[in-house]
């Protein structure tokens, strides 16, 4: 701001503090430039004195309305905002079983179709020993065998993945139902289903543990598989062994090797159909058992006589 005026007497140098004549220019003592300015702070335009608060009115009671107010909070208890509740493992297992069971039945149907195609091929091989076969019949047999074989392979892999995922969730649900930690991790279950030789025993043990927990048996007791589970376990082991034999004999060449391969493929398809049916029934039954126990509903029948 421009100076409003100079003081009448000497002023102190802002650098050295000695008294000097008012004005501009260097200080005769410290030779530093000085300026005799006086800064005046003024309020900005439009700013006035703070408003004065009026006297408070006396309290006259709560407000009154002509009608019932429609605003406000609902008449509900206070609920703290939380994230979505985690879905229980038994709910996930049941939801997956709803997709797995139909897929297993479809796999069983396609496996039976593949077995029929292999049996038809074997019949044609027997008939070809005594005479020539029609080219159309042979071509149709080849197309049916190839198509059914690829279809059952794809469906088998898909349903296998679903079975592994269901067994992981069902194992957690059964362990949570018994109030304990699962005895096998998800990695152990996957390895037990996939790795050869190991998959002869681990899948049956996993399903036995699920059944043990779903039936509310003591945790320190050794699982005792039911007859249905033992039948599934035996058929599953036979299927695994037959699949290994088919893979090992696929490197042989010759007419007899081809005939043996047709028979083994037909057996593998039949056993695969049986495994799919037994697995569908076992998954459906265990999915129901791993859920929470419902309280029994008791009904009381009261008879009232007319004279009473």
């Amino acid at each position: 701001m421009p100076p409003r005026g100079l003081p009448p007497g000497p002023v102190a140098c802002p650098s050295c503090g000695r008294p000097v004549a008012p004005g501009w220019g260097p200080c005769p003592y410290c030779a530093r430039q000085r300026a005799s300015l006086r800064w005046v702070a003024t309020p900005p335009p439009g700013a006035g004195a703070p408003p004065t608060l009026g006297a408070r009115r006396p309290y006259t009671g709560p407000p009154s309305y002509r009608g019932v107010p429609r605003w406000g909070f609902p008449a509900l208890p206070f609920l703290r905002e939380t994230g979505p509740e985690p879905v229980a493992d038994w709910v996930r297992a049941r939801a997956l079983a709803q997709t797995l069971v139909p897929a297993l039945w479809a796999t069983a149907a396609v496996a039976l179709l593949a077995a029929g195609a292999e049996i038809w091929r074997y019949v044609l091989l027997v008939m070809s020993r005594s005479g020539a076969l029609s080219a159309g019949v042979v071509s149709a047999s080849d197309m049916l065998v190839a198509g059914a074989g690829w279809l059952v392979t794809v469906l088998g892999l898909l349903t296998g993945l679903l079975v592994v995922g269901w067994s992981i969730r069902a194992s957690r649900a059964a362990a949570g139902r018994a109030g304990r930690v699962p005895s096998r991790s998800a990695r152990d279950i996957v390895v037990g289903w996939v790795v050869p030789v190991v998959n002869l025993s681990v899948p049956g043990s996993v399903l036995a543990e699920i059944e043990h927990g779903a039936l509310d048996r003591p945790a320190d007791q050794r699982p005792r598989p039911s007859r249905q589970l033992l039948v599934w376990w035996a058929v599953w082991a036979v299927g695994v062994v037959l699949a290994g034999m088919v893979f090992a004999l696929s490197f042989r060449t010759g007419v007899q090797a081809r005939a043996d391969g047709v028979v083994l493929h037909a057996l593998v398809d039949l056993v695969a159909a049986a495994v799919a049916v037994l697995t569908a029934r076992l998954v459906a039954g265990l999915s129901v058992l791993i859920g929470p126990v419902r309280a029994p509903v008791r009904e009381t029948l009261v008879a009232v006589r007319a004279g009473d």
Side-chain angles (χ1 to χ4, degrees), residues 253-300:
T253 58
V255 179
Q256 186 60 39
R258 293 181 180 179
D260 295 340
V262 171
V263 175
L264 289 177
H265 275 88
L267 290 177
V268 168
D269 292 333
L270 291 175
V271 174
V275 170
V277 172
L278 294 176
T279 306
R281 297 181 60 184
L282 192 62
V283 168
L286 293 179
S287 298
V288 175
L289 293 177
I290 59 177
V293 180
R294 295 183 178 180
V297 179
R298 297 182 179 180
E299 298 181 357
T300 304

Side-chain angles (χ1 to χ4, degrees), residues 96-146:
L96 188 57
Q98 293 179 358
T99 304
L100 175 58
V101 173
L104 287 170
W105 284 106
T107 304
V110 176
L112 290 176
L113 178 62
E118 295 291 347
I119 294 174
W120 185 26
R121 169 174 282 187
Y122 186 80
V123 171
L124 294 179
L125 288 175
V126 174
M127 294 174 59
S128 64
R129 298 177 59 183
S130 58
L133 299 177
S134 173
V137 174
V138 175
S139 178
S141 175
D142 293 340
M143 291 178 61
L144 183 59
V145 169

Side-chain angles (χ1 to χ4, degrees), residues 14-291:
S15 300
C16 61
R18 297 181 182 180
V20 293
W24 294 269
C27 176
Y29 299 101
C30 63
R32 293 188 177 182
Q33 293 291 335
R34 60 190 178 86
S36 297
L37 302 178
R38 184 174 59 180
W39 296 90
V40 179
T42 57
T52 57
L53 298 177
R56 293 185 177 181
R57 297 181 181 180
Y59 178 73
T60 58
S64 59
Y65 303 93
R66 295 181 180 180
V68 179
R70 300 299 179 184
W71 51 266
F73 297 101
L76 296 174
F78 175 76
L79 299 176
R80 186 182 300 275
E81 293 184 0
T82 56
E85 296 183 359
V87 182
D89 291 320
W90 68 270
V91 176
R92 295 177 181 271
R94 283 188 179 180
L96 188 57
Q98 293 179 358
T99 304
L100 175 58
V101 173
L104 287 170
W105 284 106
T107 304
V110 176
L112 290 176
L113 178 62
E118 295 291 347
I119 294 174
W120 185 26
R121 169 174 282 187
Y122 186 80
V123 171
L124 294 179
L125 288 175
V126 174
M127 294 174 59
S128 64
R129 298 177 59 183
S130 58
L133 299 177
S134 173
V137 174
V138 175
S139 178
S141 175
D142 293 340
M143 291 178 61
L144 183 59
V145 169
W150 278 106
L151 187 57
V152 73
T153 302
V154 173
L155 283 177
L157 291 176
L158 292 178
T159 53
L161 293 176
L162 293 177
V163 168
V164 173
W166 176 87
S167 61
I168 293 173
R169 295 178 180 179
S171 177
R172 295 175 180 175
R177 181 188 178 91
R180 56 183 177 84
V181 179
S183 58
R184 302 174 190 268
S185 62
R187 180 181 177 182
D188 295 337
I189 295 177
V190 173
V191 170
W193 279 98
V194 175
V195 176
V197 181
V198 181
N199 56 6
L200 291 174
S201 60
V202 173
S205 300
V206 171
L207 295 180
E209 293 172 358
I210 295 173
E211 185 184 49
H212 186 84
L215 295 176
D216 296 331
R217 293 175 180 173
D220 55 349
Q221 185 179 356
R222 185 180 181 85
R224 292 178 300 174
S226 61
R227 181 178 299 178
Q228 180 184 7
L229 181 55
L230 290 176
V231 172
W232 177 91
W233 202 341
V235 178
W236 165 262
V238 171
V240 172
V241 173
L242 284 177
M245 292 177 60
V246 170
F247 179 77
L249 296 177
S250 62
F251 298 98
R252 295 174 56 191
T253 58
V255 179
Q256 186 60 39
R258 293 181 180 179
D260 295 340
V262 171
V263 175
L264 289 177
H265 275 88
L267 290 177
V268 168
D269 292 333
L270 291 175
V271 174
V275 170
V277 172
L278 294 176
T279 306
R281 297 181 60 184
L282 192 62
V283 168
L286 293 179
S287 298
V288 175
L289 293 177
I290 59 177

